[in-house]
Amino acid sequence: MAQRDADIRVSGLRKTFTVPEREAGLRASLRSLVRRTHRDVHAVAEVSFEIPAGEVVGFLGPNGAGKTTTLKMLSGLLHPTSGQVSVLGHVPWRRERDYLRRMTLVMGNRNQLQWDIPALDSFEMNRAIYRIPDSDFRTIRDEMVELLEIGDLVRKPVRNLSLGERMKAEIAAALLHRPQVLFLDEPTIGLDVTMQKRIRAFLAEYNRRYGATVLLTSHYMADVQALCRRVIVIDHGSILYDGSLRELSARYAPHQTINVTLTDPGPELSGYGELVSTEAGRVSLKVAKDQTSAVAARLLAAYEVSDLTIEDPPVEDVIEQVFASSATTVEVSS
Amino acid sequence: MREPRRRLQGLPGLYAVTMRTAVQVQFQYRTANYAYMLGMIAEPVIYLVVWSTVARSQGGAVEGITVGEFAAYYIVWTLVRNMNIVFTPYGWEGRIRQGELSGMLVRPVHPIHYDLAYFAGWKFVVILLWLPIAAALTLIFRPTFDISLLEIGVFLIAIWGAYLIRSMLLWVLGMVTFWTTRVSALYDMYFTAELLLSGRLLPLALLPGWAATVADVLPFKYTFGYPIEVIAGDLSTRELFIGLAMQVLWVAVGALLVAVVWRFGVRRYSAVGN
């Protein structure tokens, strides 16, 4: 596979929407007939980052943070208010055919497939749209069908598929032209745990096989932990953090949890750290990260311990901590 | 020159697949399609009954158009009407307000090709379903036809010309949704002008002279009255070819308008709801 430079370069990207607004009620409605008021909403404000070829990056943030708007600009759906973007050497919003043939955007589960016909027929349409040679098409289609385990589904009309089944077929359709850059907006939303796992495994395999660059938004931290070593955290249109997932925990989660089970339960352990819970003889203690080893050693020395584990806090909590602290952007090479 | 040529290279394949898809989808909805077509027949049948009654009360003809010629006109009308059903501005409202355009925008093909191909495929289903309706109307209303081979050839081109012109114009109208989010009022205005000046409500020969002159230079006639008159009227060879030339002109104007309005409109797209 040819070595590629950074696939995605974003510099000073901004998107401002001007939206009409008025108070509720008839009087406000009448007033708006003669005098309309507008408000500027800064959906994305001065966002900059780069993603090298082949990297999978999680794009995280609460609802309305600017994630989807950014993805829409990177995929060419939206024109930005200002800023520069280069994806695979193209300016996305020019929507040059060579660019659109090399990327894909998965957003929701009703983009690629025709509702009334089997997914196989929609795949055929994508073959024509992306001008995939017949022999390649059959190989890639069969590969997608196998990896996503949708052999039985692709012959049913799409309207008869469940949400998860449709999502898998949608992803297969979106990847038939073997795109080099994938923009995935909540690819596992609304799916059960098994289906989520299968899609995660598929995306990881796709990235491994083809060296595809992936920018993914998800509210499921399991998606992020399984797929992304690097995350970009965004809120109110600005990047709060850009770096490795591990570094994120180190920086924003100064505590770890020690779970200890004593052979003879009973002793008071609150002196070792903040008591989080006591359940069936198992005590959880919140301890400053730099003290964890020492506290664990002291516990092992002082008591007969049948089990002891040290855990990082859940990523959800760490992200929450990032939003709470509204930290300034931290540049971490990855 | 290389880029436009490359763009066109893959289009025949895309059109073939999309048309095939449309046929599959529409055959699934054959009952709904038939019900829709039967409902649509009411409009020309009413016009036909009214004009036949007027013709009979005036000794068998109105402005030289006989009862049999009215029947021919309105039976061909049913086919032309089916042929010029295209993606409407109402559909555009859904596309823009609900963000449905997003899926089309990230594909390396201009979305108009999808609409043109899809509705063109639908026409084959429509024509198949139309044949028994036309046979029944022929038995009931006894039309008078005097058709030459040249007229059949021109008609086969003209109904597709009508389809293209109406597709382009309604696409342009639909794209106004990029600015207004609601375009139905404009469409209603378009519809009224079309009804009066296209030959849909009445044959254009029955319009006052000044109105007929206006109709000659506007596009509406070439989406309705002209193709109907090719086969059900009495056009000279010169008129047949002038009509085709006007269709080519309006297709070109429509394509230009689509290109320009699209270029500016799509910048305003905010991809909401998706």
Side-chain angles (χ1 to χ4, degrees), chain A residues 72 114 116 121 125 131, chain B residues 6 24 28-29 105 114 271:
Chain A
K72 284 175 179 171
Q114 292 275 325
D116 297 302
D121 288 322
M125 204 145 161
R131 297 186 211 170
Chain B
R6 271 184 56 205
Q24 288 170 39
Q28 283 196 39
Y29 291 111
L105 280 177
Y114 174 79

Side-chain angles (χ1 to χ4, degrees), chain A residues 16-30:
Chain A
T16 303
F17 293 105
T18 303
V19 292
E21 64 173 12
R22 65 168 177 82
E23 297 298 324
L26 184 61
R27 185 179 293 175
S29 176
L30 289 171

Side-chain angles (χ1 to χ4, degrees), chain A residues 23-63:
Chain A
E23 297 298 324
L26 184 61
R27 185 179 293 175
S29 176
L30 289 171
R31 200 182 304 131
S32 74
L33 281 176
V34 286
R35 192 175 162 197
R36 298 194 78 180
T37 52
H38 292 84
R39 185 168 61 94
D40 282 347
V41 176
H42 304 290
V44 175
E46 291 292 323
V47 162
S48 302
F49 59 85
E50 283 191 10
I51 302 181
E55 191 170 38
V56 184
V57 176
F59 203 31
L60 310 178
N63 292 332

Side-chain angles (χ1 to χ4, degrees), chain A residues 72 77-79 95 97-98 100-101 107 111-112 114 116-117 121 125 127-131 159, chain B residues 6-7 10 14 17-18 21 24-25 28-29 102 105-108 110 114 266-267 269-271 274:
Chain A
K72 284 175 179 171
L77 282 183
L78 293 184
H79 284 245
R95 278 198 295 280
R97 279 155 181 77
D98 283 342
L100 297 176
R101 276 195 202 100
M107 205 164 54
N111 273 336
Q112 301 276 342
Q114 292 275 325
D116 297 302
I117 54 176
D121 288 322
M125 204 145 161
R127 180 191 61 73
I129 288 170
Y130 290 97
R131 297 186 211 170
R159 62 166 184 263
Chain B
R6 271 184 56 205
R7 281 185 199 177
L14 174 66
V17 173
T18 311
T21 304
Q24 288 170 39
V25 171
Q28 283 196 39
Y29 291 111
S102 301
L105 280 177
V106 291
R107 293 173 170 185
H110 195 297
Y114 174 79
V266 79
R267 288 166 178 266
Y269 182 58
S270 54
N274 207 339

Side-chain angles (χ1 to χ4, degrees), chain B residues 20 28 50 61 77 88 97 103 115 119 164 166 173 175 180 190 206 211 226 267 272:
Chain B
R20 208 164 57 219
Q28 283 196 39
V50 168
W77 186 108
T88 67
R97 292 170 73 185
D115 284 349
F119 279 82
L164 283 177
R166 205 158 187 270
L173 206 55
M175 282 192 286
T180 65
Y190 174 95
L206 300 181
Y226 164 68
R267 288 166 178 266
V272 288

Side-chain angles (χ1 to χ4, degrees), chain A residues 89-334:
Chain A
H90 296 267
V91 175
W93 46 93
R94 287 187 190 152
R95 278 198 295 280
E96 291 155 325
R97 279 155 181 77
D98 283 342
Y99 171 58
L100 297 176
R101 276 195 202 100
R102 294 167 68 197
M103 59 73 76
T104 200
L105 169 70
V106 176
M107 205 164 54
N109 56 27
R110 283 192 65 177
N111 273 336
Q112 301 276 342
L113 303 173
Q114 292 275 325
W115 193 244
D116 297 302
I117 54 176
L120 276 182
D121 288 322
S122 291
F123 293 172
E124 194 63 35
M125 204 145 161
N126 277 17
R127 180 191 61 73
I129 288 170
Y130 290 97
R131 297 186 211 170
I132 308 167
D134 276 349
S135 55
D136 289 357
F137 170 71
R138 277 191 292 274
T139 310
I140 300 168
R141 180 197 61 193
D142 294 346
E143 187 184 21
M144 294 288 160
V145 167
E146 188 197 326
L147 280 172
L148 283 160
E149 300 175 40
I150 51 174
D152 296 337
L153 311 177
V154 289
R155 287 176 181 80
K156 291 183 193 171
V158 170
R159 62 166 184 263
N160 292 345
L161 301 180
S162 71
L163 176 72
E165 292 170 342
R166 215 159 58 221
M167 193 70 215
K168 288 202 292 184
E170 189 73 44
I171 289 176
L175 300 181
L176 278 174
H177 57 290
R178 222 173 250 174
Q180 287 171 274
V181 171
L182 278 57
F183 297 113
L184 308 174
D185 193 20
E186 305 278 1
T188 57
I189 195 164
L191 307 186
D192 64 43
V193 176
T194 314
M195 203 67 87
Q196 286 178 25
K197 274 188 180 169
R198 199 160 291 164
I199 286 180
R200 266 177 229 136
F202 168 78
L203 292 173
E205 179 61 17
Y206 185 90
N207 167 255
R208 191 190 63 75
R209 276 194 198 183
Y210 305 113
T213 307
V214 182
L215 183 57
L216 132 114
T217 77
S218 180
H219 284 114
Y220 297 129
M221 285 308 141
D223 286 350
V224 177
Q225 284 172 303
L227 293 168
C228 315
R229 276 192 298 184
R230 175 182 166 198
V231 293
I232 296 174
V233 183
I234 183 170
D235 194 15
H236 299 298
S238 299
I239 291 180
L240 302 182
Y241 175 84
D242 178 356
S244 75
L245 195 54
R246 185 176 292 186
E247 179 71 16
L248 181 75
S249 287
R251 182 171 291 269
Y252 289 96
H255 297 95
Q256 284 179 308
T257 304
I258 297 178
N259 301 304
V260 60
T261 307
L262 302 181
T263 311
D264 298 317
E268 172 62 45
L269 300 180
S270 57
Y272 292 90
E274 184 187 328
L275 198 61
V276 179
S277 66
T278 305
E279 229 174 83
R282 185 171 184 261
V283 179
S284 295
L285 297 163
K286 192 171 163 187
V287 179
K289 205 173 255 178
D290 56 354
Q291 298 291 314
T292 314
S293 306
V295 171
R298 279 168 53 210
L299 281 166
L300 288 166
Y303 304 101
E304 201 171 315
V305 172
S306 62
D307 187 42
L308 187 145
T309 58
I310 299 171
E311 283 177 3
D312 280 322
V315 178
E316 287 90 336
D317 294 355
V318 180
I319 301 282
E320 226 170 81
Q321 182 64 35
V322 179
F323 298 143
S325 63
S326 289
T328 50
T329 305
V330 181
E331 296 290 342
V332 179
S333 60
S334 53

